[in-house]
Amino acid sequence: MRHQDTPTNDDQATIPATGRDATTPVRRTRRVDPNRRQRIIDACLDVIAERGVAGTSHRVVAEAADVPLGSMTYHFDGFDDLIFQSFSHYARQAAERFRTRMEQARTRDDACEAIAETIADDLLGTDRDMVINLELYAIAARKPRFRDIMTEWTRTVLTSMAPFFDPQTAKLLDDVIEGITIHRAMAVPHPSAERTREDARDAIARILTGAV
């Protein structure tokens, strides 16, 4: 079992004592680092955004997080678990942002705007977000375990839209979120956030009016 707040051997150093007890080694423990696991996850996502999953490794992430290489396996059950936990964290954050946007909506028009903002500002707001999303789609297509992350994201999206849209319409709107995210990420040059937001509004309006 992993313990996030307990120092490992990598966090300890043996130094000689001074004075009368010079023959007795003294065990000095470095500061406890309770945020280390989260720092590793954040660094892993940064590395994925820069190099892709294929260019990510324990050593590269450890260097980016400024942690001992040995602590990587202390916090994660291997490289695949590190990648899985990192993507899971990212998806949970994105889902929470979407849920918050929808909870703040008071009308269907507000909900439509929240969907457009999610696409333009959250999923495609930065190059980092754009690449992480594409890498998640890619790995989920190859590894069934990672599809659970996408399934949970979709469940949150559909549940959050339920107060404003019937289930079939909500599913179509989720398709808009996924489709625009992928297509805009692949576009060269990348459209501006405002252009993406306008196109999302148009796609949503067409679905709601049946003009599809």
Side-chain angles (χ1 to χ4, degrees):
M1 179 180 293
R2 297 184 299 273
H3 302 280
Q4 296 181 22
D5 299 340
T6 305
T8 68
N9 290 336
D10 296 311
D11 298 309
Q12 298 176 333
T14 301
I15 60 173
T18 57
R20 290 179 301 173
D21 298 323
T23 58
T24 303
V26 174
R27 196 72 167 173
R28 182 180 67 189
T29 302
R30 298 174 186 169
R31 65 181 178 84
V32 174
D33 189 1
N35 297 320
R36 174 173 291 184
R37 185 176 188 276
Q38 185 57 52
R39 194 164 71 251
I40 293 172
I41 286 175
D42 292 339
C44 183
L45 290 169
D46 288 340
V47 172
I48 289 172
E50 180 182 351
R51 304 185 178 204
V53 173
T56 303
S57 68
H58 268 141
R59 184 175 300 279
V60 172
V61 174
E63 291 176 356
D66 191 24
V67 300
L69 182 60
S71 69
M72 301 294 290
T73 53
Y74 178 78
H75 291 288
F76 303 94
D77 294 328
F79 179 73
D80 195 66
D81 185 53
L82 168 63
I83 299 299
F84 180 83
Q85 296 300 333
S86 297
F87 275 132
S88 293
H89 172 74
Y90 178 83
R92 283 194 301 270
Q93 284 191 318
E96 185 57 34
R97 286 195 297 270
F98 184 80
R99 182 187 295 112
T100 298
R101 287 187 184 278
M102 297 304 290
E103 287 176 347
Q104 293 172 347
R106 293 294 175 264
T107 67
R108 174 178 271 207
D109 287 344
D110 291 341
C112 292
E113 186 63 19
I115 296 170
E117 289 174 350
T118 292
I119 297 169
D121 300 334
D122 296 341
L123 301 180
L124 294 172
T126 66
D127 287 346
R128 179 181 186 272
D129 289 322
M130 179 188 66
V131 173
I132 290 174
N133 276 295
L134 286 181
E135 289 287 332
L136 177 53
Y137 284 124
I139 198 170
R142 296 193 307 272
K143 297 186 176 183
R145 181 189 183 196
F146 287 81
R147 294 173 200 164
D148 293 339
I149 299 174
M150 304 302 296
T151 298
E152 186 59 33
W153 155 261
T154 299
R155 183 181 298 112
T156 298
V157 168
L158 296 180
T159 300
S160 299
M161 288 195 287
F164 303 99
F165 309 103
D166 65 83
Q168 184 58 31
T169 300
K171 181 64 176 66
L172 289 172
L173 292 173
D174 180 53
D175 291 343
V176 169
I177 295 173
E178 306 291 347
I180 292 181
T181 298
I182 293 174
H183 281 285
R184 292 311 161 96
M186 299 296 292
V188 180
H190 299 312
S192 66
E194 186 54 38
R195 173 63 184 276
T196 297
R197 191 179 295 106
E198 288 298 326
D199 287 349
R201 289 169 180 157
D202 181 62
I204 293 166
R206 287 173 178 271
I207 287 174
L208 296 181
T209 60
V212 294

